[in-house]
Amino acid sequence: MKVKIMRLSHCYSLPQYNHPGDSGMDLFAAHGVLLNTGDVAKVLTGICLEVPEGYEGQIRPRSGMILNTHLSFEIGTVDQGYRGEVHVVVRNFGPKPYNIARGDRIAQLVIAPVVRAELEEVQELAPSQRGGKGLGSTGKR
Ligand SMILES: O=c1ccn([C@H]2C[C@H](O)[C@@H](COP(=O)(O)OP(=O)(O)OP(=O)(O)O)O2)c(=O)[nH]1
């Protein structure tokens, strides 16, 4: 499927799939940013997208970054109609400052189908085996 992409002048690289079969394309930081402990920042990617109707862009963390740093990369949605610059929200939970450099692969972009639901308000829902149980109700094993 074709997705139109526009490169802004400060873009480091267009998103890239690393391996055949990957669902996500790596997103590159378009600028450096120093995150002190507790800081949250919006890291720009230098790209704008035209996501086709019926789809969305999902911004997801790269698991390697989560394992190897104390950074938390927030999940985000690139709405079908959004034409602004794609960014990634990052928070430093670590005890030390962390430097993101221009060109670092900070997150991944997945293009995925979206179902637009039509909500039907009712007074009662059909019973189910799970019912309202959640939050670990099935135990560990
Ligand atoms: O991680 C993210 C999250 C959002 N966006 C862009 C695309 C998205 O379509 C737009 C708006 O995001 P969202 O709807 O999550 O923001 P909001 O806080 O609900 O703002 P709004 O009131 O503009 O919808 O910002 C990103 O580039 N990266």
Side-chain angles (χ1 to χ4, degrees):
M1 189 187 69
K2 287 236 161 77
V3 176
K4 289 184 182 156
I5 186 163
M6 222 171 67
R7 190 195 293 255
L8 301 174
S9 57
H10 54 279
C11 177
Y12 176 85
S13 163
L14 293 184
Q16 282 170 18
Y17 290 110
N18 259 322
H19 303 288
D22 281 1
S23 349
M25 298 178 234
D26 285 337
L27 287 169
F28 296 82
H31 58 94
V33 58
L34 177 68
L35 288 156
N36 287 310
T37 299
D39 278 359
V40 58
K42 181 171 129 174
V43 184
L44 301 174
T45 61
I47 57 153
C48 302
L49 293 172
E50 187 178 321
V51 175
E53 253 180 68
Y55 292 84
E56 64 164 345
Q58 299 173 348
I59 310 280
R60 303 215 199 134
R62 299 178 61 222
S63 40
M65 292 293 281
I66 295 175
L67 271 175
N68 301 322
T69 69
H70 290 98
L71 300 181
S72 159
F73 294 83
E74 306 302 330
I75 291 171
T77 299
V78 181
D79 295 292
Q80 188 273 323
Y82 180 73
R83 299 288 182 269
E85 182 168 0
V86 174
H87 54 264
V88 179
V89 176
V90 187
R91 195 181 294 269
N92 182 6
F93 282 110
K96 286 190 284 187
Y98 188 97
N99 193 46
I100 291 180
R102 173 172 157 80
D104 280 358
R105 294 182 293 141
I106 44 173
Q108 52 185 323
L109 171 71
V110 174
I111 305 292
V114 172
V115 173
R116 266 185 86 85
E118 189 189 325
L119 297 177
E120 179 193 357
E121 191 176 359
V122 294
Q123 300 307 317
E124 217 177 308
L125 300 173
S128 73
Q129 202 183 351
R130 175 182 281 276
K133 293 197 288 268
L135 297 169
S137 65
T138 54
K140 263 189 172 175
R141 289 164 177 262

